[in-house]
Amino acid sequence: MKQDMIVILDLGSTENTVLARQIRALGVYSEIYPHDITAEELKALPNVKGVIIYGGPNHIVDGERIDVNHEIYECGYPVMAVAHELALCSQKLEAFPEDEEKVMEILKKFVFEDCKAEANWNMKNFIEDQVELVRKQVGDKKVLLALSGGVDSSVVAALLIKAIGKQLTCVHVNHGLMRKGESESVVEVFRNQLDANLVYVDASERFLTKLEGVADPEQKRKIIGAEFIRVFEEEARKLEGIDFLGQGTIYPDIVESGTKTAKMVKSHHNVGGLPEDLQFQLVEPLKQLFKDEVRQCGIELGLPNDMVYRQPFPGPGLGVRCLGAITKERLEAVRESDAILREEFKNAGLDKKVWQYFTIVPDFKSVGVRDNARSFEYPVIIRAVNTVDAMSATIEQIDWPVLLKITDRIMKEVKNVNRVCYDLSPKPNATIEWE
């Protein structure tokens, strides 16, 4: 690793990632490690220039107050404490952030003057480091990657292609629940532009057959997840000499999966929980990046903006936006109306402003009029929300002319639809998705 590093030791803070991102914003790389790291383990990390001990509300574990190993103070690194009164060091902050401007000045002084770190953390250096590390890890062996077309899997694919080229095989499974043009985009970018070894599997009929008549949302999710594993496993077994599995694990996945001082937020299984008997070694070159950094990495690697800034998209895809039992008729209405919404949001400059926006088609019809005759067709519901952490969400207030244009296009261009509604429900009490 070429970058200097500031190590944050987690002593019960709930904002370790905030501090890590602030240090990275200064151009210096930062990672979070558990409070009980040993001096030997700390010294084994590359290019460590300083240590920040970050205390907080979770500093009591199993009824006891925790502290870092005291040998950490004797390692020879500059040490700063934040919200930790027991630390044996000269630099201390009562809280972070207390006064953001003041805190940043103290942080800059510590990082650049006390630690003498260089501002050499950038995407170009990161990519060079990861290319070198991947080549060292993989050697002349082969890597398999499930390429969904999402941001994380697309960026890890591009990075692995740069590192090992044809030693990587990407498998893209089209389960028939993708948004309009997404599978075609994956094929165009990775097979035609990046010359990747891409196995494209059109399993749409297989998935829709399995989902026929299934209305319960959780049951749909389980079927889609399990079937994806089966299809991926079948394709994996057709290939020979695969020793490694590439995954788009990113830093929030690791943090949210729990630490010694914080409970698990949610588990992450990036390929859906692959069978143990596949026995691959993992290659995870993005595992120290935050989401915005993953996007920066994708741009640096030359991926198209539309792919890098792709909206968050649920694993079951449009399957949870075609409410109730999925039918081809309503699935197509979701896909076409969603494409219109995305196009018009982009035209109105809302695609960069709104965190997530999509359409939903429920499994009931309403009375309307089409061609001067009574119609009995489906409504389309539009959802557009903003959020910081997805734990709560607010509704985007769309200008009437934009909504009216979207409504007009959906009514004219999407079959079997005679009504358009706008969902005004924040989270809570509503959730972001309907299923």
Side-chain angles (χ1 to χ4, degrees):
M1 177 183 282
K2 300 178 179 65
Q3 292 91 357
D4 291 343
M5 177 162 66
I6 302 296
V7 169
I8 298 169
L9 297 185
D10 173 21
L11 205 59
S13 173
T14 57
E15 296 192 338
N16 290 304
T17 56
V18 175
L19 181 55
R21 291 173 69 87
Q22 290 283 14
I23 295 170
R24 292 189 190 188
L26 295 174
V28 179
Y29 185 60
S30 180
E31 283 186 12
I32 302 163
Y33 284 88
H35 71 281
D36 57 358
I37 189 173
T38 65
E40 187 178 353
E41 290 169 333
L42 180 64
K43 288 178 179 178
L45 298 174
N47 295 352
V48 174
K49 295 295 182 180
V51 176
I52 298 178
I53 300 166
Y54 202 173
N58 298 322
H59 66 285
I60 304 296
V61 177
D62 296 329
E64 293 185 10
R65 181 187 292 270
I66 59 172
D67 196 1
V68 299
N69 288 313
H70 277 224
E71 60 190 19
I72 295 296
Y73 301 119
E74 300 166 4
C75 284
Y77 301 117
V79 179
M80 182 168 79
V82 180
H84 180 47
E85 68 278 8
L86 300 180
L88 303 172
C89 55
S90 57
Q91 291 273 3
K92 290 189 180 183
L93 276 173
E94 293 304 314
F96 182 94
E98 42 190 18
D99 174 332
E100 191 168 345
E101 191 172 328
K102 176 187 172 186
V103 166
M104 288 309 295
E105 283 305 312
I106 294 172
L107 201 55
K108 281 181 186 177
K109 181 181 181 300
F110 176 73
V111 170
F112 295 117
E113 294 181 25
D114 297 357
C115 300
K116 302 206 168 23
E118 291 185 28
N120 53 14
W121 162 245
N122 57 60
M123 273 308 126
K124 185 176 180 181
N125 286 347
F126 171 81
I127 291 168
E128 287 178 5
D129 278 347
Q130 291 305 317
V131 165
E132 185 179 323
L133 289 169
V134 167
R135 286 173 179 168
K136 185 177 180 181
Q137 180 186 7
V138 172
D140 60 356
K141 302 291 197 321
K142 295 179 181 178
V143 180
L144 181 64
L145 173 71
L147 176 57
S148 67
V151 179
D152 302 337
S153 72
S154 296
V155 174
V156 81
L159 200 156
L160 290 175
I161 290 166
K162 183 178 179 68
I164 56 173
K166 294 291 187 178
Q167 290 170 247
L168 174 71
T169 298
C170 300
V171 176
H172 176 68
V173 178
N174 180 1
H175 51 25
L177 304 169
M178 303 287 283
R179 289 178 289 202
K180 188 174 183 178
E182 285 193 319
S183 285
E184 293 83 353
S185 174
V186 169
V187 173
E188 171 59 28
V189 170
F190 289 96
R191 179 182 288 168
N192 300 342
Q193 296 179 20
L194 298 181
D195 194 30
N197 278 332
L198 176 65
V199 176
Y200 172 72
V201 185
D202 186 353
S204 51
E205 288 299 324
R206 174 172 172 171
F207 275 83
L208 292 178
T209 299
K210 288 277 184 181
L211 290 164
E212 191 172 349
V214 179
D216 179 71
E218 284 306 306
Q219 189 63 22
K220 286 198 290 187
R221 288 175 184 273
K222 287 177 182 176
I223 290 170
I224 293 166
E227 201 61 22
F228 177 85
I229 294 168
R230 292 190 189 101
V231 174
F232 186 80
E233 183 183 15
E234 288 168 16
E235 295 302 321
R237 298 213 184 278
K238 293 176 186 176
L239 304 168
E240 294 183 356
I242 302 287
D243 291 288
F244 294 90
L245 179 70
Q247 287 202 130
T249 309
I250 66 174
Y251 210 28
D253 297 344
I254 296 170
V255 174
E256 287 181 348
S257 293
T259 67
K260 293 176 182 178
T261 62
K263 293 180 180 178
M264 182 181 71
V265 177
K266 57 182 174 180
S267 59
H268 290 264
H269 304 283
N270 290 356
V271 194
L274 291 169
E276 290 182 8
D277 60 354
L278 288 180
Q279 295 180 338
F280 294 124
Q281 296 179 57
L282 293 181
V283 180
E284 301 173 297
L286 305 181
K287 66 182 180 181
Q288 298 298 345
L289 294 187
F290 292 102
K291 193 73 172 188
D292 59 322
E293 294 170 336
V294 173
R295 297 186 197 280
Q296 293 169 29
C297 184
I299 294 296
E300 183 71 28
L301 288 164
L303 289 176
N305 270 29
D306 286 351
M307 184 170 280
V308 170
Y309 288 96
R310 180 185 191 256
Q311 279 192 69
F313 192 51
L318 300 181
V320 292
R321 295 176 182 172
C322 183
L323 306 185
I326 297 169
T327 65
K328 286 186 178 180
E329 181 180 76
R330 284 191 301 112
L331 184 59
E332 194 60 20
V334 176
R335 198 184 329 268
E336 291 299 323
S337 60
D338 178 79
I340 290 170
L341 178 68
R342 286 189 288 140
E343 183 180 334
E344 292 302 330
F345 263 43
K346 185 174 182 179
N347 291 342
L350 292 168
D351 56 327
K352 297 292 191 294
K353 183 185 176 188
V354 183
W355 183 76
Q356 193 170 19
Y357 46 95
F358 52 90
T359 62
I360 303 133
V361 177
D363 56 350
F364 59 81
K365 296 181 178 181
S366 66
V367 176
V369 177
R370 185 180 293 278
D371 300 326
N372 297 317
R374 180 183 181 275
S375 69
F376 198 53
E377 297 172 307
Y378 298 106
V380 166
I381 301 161
I382 297 172
R383 186 103 168 109
V385 298
N386 286 313
T387 182
V388 174
D389 56 9
M391 301 302 291
S392 62
T394 58
I395 303 305
E396 179 66 23
Q397 296 183 35
I398 309 298
D399 290 339
W400 279 113
V402 177
L403 274 179
L404 291 173
K405 186 176 182 183
I406 292 167
T407 299
D408 184 60
R409 283 195 60 191
I410 289 174
M411 301 277 274
K412 288 178 178 175
E413 299 174 32
V414 181
K415 294 179 180 178
N416 305 304
V417 168
N418 66 0
R419 198 177 294 267
V420 177
C421 307
Y422 190 62
D423 183 352
L424 291 169
S425 315
K427 178 182 180 179
N429 290 351
T431 53
I432 292 173
E433 298 284 345
W434 272 52
E435 282 192 344

